Amino acid sequence: MERKITSSGVILGMTAIILGAFGAHALKKVLTAEELITFETGVKYQMYHALFLLFLGMTSLVNEKVKKSIFKLIVVGVVFFSGSIYILATKTITGIDFRPLGIVTPIGGTLLIIGWLLLLWNLTLRQK
């Protein structure tokens, strides 16, 4: 499981760098400043959670079952949160109106928070 978690962290980190560069260069010419800031928010949260997964995959402080649960929460959370932000930010060039499904963003954020809380709970309360 550690290899899968760590590899996923690497993939999320790598794609965050690619998307960040794409936003800074290619999208800069076609998006408004506000849309670019929104896009960058998705990139930042994706990178934060890539680093989170790298830590999770390498730590021995959390058992395998908990790691698997946290991993699922974080991956789905990033896809929902950052993915929906990418779609919302690029609406003017893609034509995809994601607003009717805008609830996906806070659901993704909630999953990310739950992943962090599960880690905190297992590092502090459960270990005592």
Side-chain angles (χ1 to χ4, degrees):
M1 190 71 198
E2 282 88 5
R3 187 177 302 271
K4 182 177 184 177
I5 294 170
T6 306
S7 297
S8 296
V10 169
I11 291 167
L12 283 178
M14 179 182 64
T15 57
I17 292 168
I18 292 167
L19 288 168
F22 180 68
H25 299 288
L27 293 180
K28 187 176 185 178
K29 300 170 188 169
V30 293
L31 297 182
T32 66
E34 186 177 320
E35 290 168 333
L36 276 174
I37 290 169
T38 300
F39 191 87
E40 288 172 6
T41 298
V43 172
K44 281 191 263 185
Y45 276 81
Q46 182 175 330
M47 181 57 82
Y48 299 152
H49 290 89
L51 298 172
F52 179 95
L53 290 177
L54 289 175
F55 165 78
L56 182 66
M58 293 186 215
T59 188
S60 61
L61 299 172
V62 180
N63 70 48
E64 288 299 308
K65 184 178 177 186
V66 174
K67 280 185 180 185
K68 189 174 184 178
S69 297
I70 294 171
F71 170 69
K72 289 178 182 179
L73 287 163
I74 297 301
V75 169
V76 173
V78 167
V79 169
F80 280 20
F81 184 81
S82 292
S84 64
I85 286 178
Y86 298 143
I87 294 168
L88 288 166
T90 59
K91 177 185 167 261
T92 56
I93 59 172
T94 64
I96 299 172
D97 186 7
F98 197 71
R99 284 179 294 165
L101 299 173
I103 190 68
V104 171
T105 309
I107 290 171
T110 301
L111 294 174
L112 295 173
I113 293 167
I114 293 169
W116 282 93
L117 284 172
L118 189 54
L119 177 63
L120 176 65
W121 185 70
N122 275 270
L123 291 176
T124 59
L125 303 176
R126 256 188 85 146
Q127 299 299 323
K128 292 182 181 183

